[in-house]
Amino acid sequence: MVDSLLALHSSGLLAVPQPTPEAPPGSEGFLTLLNWVFWIVLLAAVGGFLIQIGMLIYNAIRGNAIQGFVGILICIVAAILAGSAVAILNMFV
């Protein structure tokens, strides 16, 4: 069984096609808008991260620094999701 599968694979009959993704005609405007949204989301994530650092310092002075730390973790997760959105979308397309 394994030998027959190896023979089929080496002959090229089991080769999986690898199509190259290509944007449809007329989608330039949509892709530009999508790029702008991506940059706005990343700027919001950086801004939120900086605000949460300020909140962490403020809450550390008041004595409950865990609230600021949770906000920083949320910002980090949001930035990771925004940065990997392209890879996540490519899984479904």
Side-chain angles (χ1 to χ4, degrees):
M1 175 81 176
V2 174
D3 292 334
S4 62
L5 285 176
L6 287 175
L8 283 173
H9 180 66
S10 63
S11 68
L13 294 176
L14 287 181
V16 178
Q18 297 292 329
T20 57
E22 184 176 318
S27 65
E28 293 83 18
F30 175 72
L31 293 176
T32 301
L33 178 68
L34 195 61
N35 286 334
W36 289 354
V37 169
F38 179 71
W39 277 104
I40 291 170
V41 167
L42 285 181
L43 288 175
V46 169
F49 186 72
L50 293 174
I51 290 170
Q52 286 302 319
I53 288 174
M55 292 297 294
L56 177 65
I57 293 169
Y58 175 73
N59 286 327
I61 292 171
R62 289 184 46 214
N64 52 353
I66 193 70
Q67 290 177 351
F69 184 70
V70 170
I72 288 176
L73 286 178
I74 290 171
C75 286
I76 290 172
V77 169
I80 289 171
L81 286 176
S84 61
V86 174
I88 292 172
L89 288 176
N90 280 337
M91 282 186 354
F92 297 112
V93 174

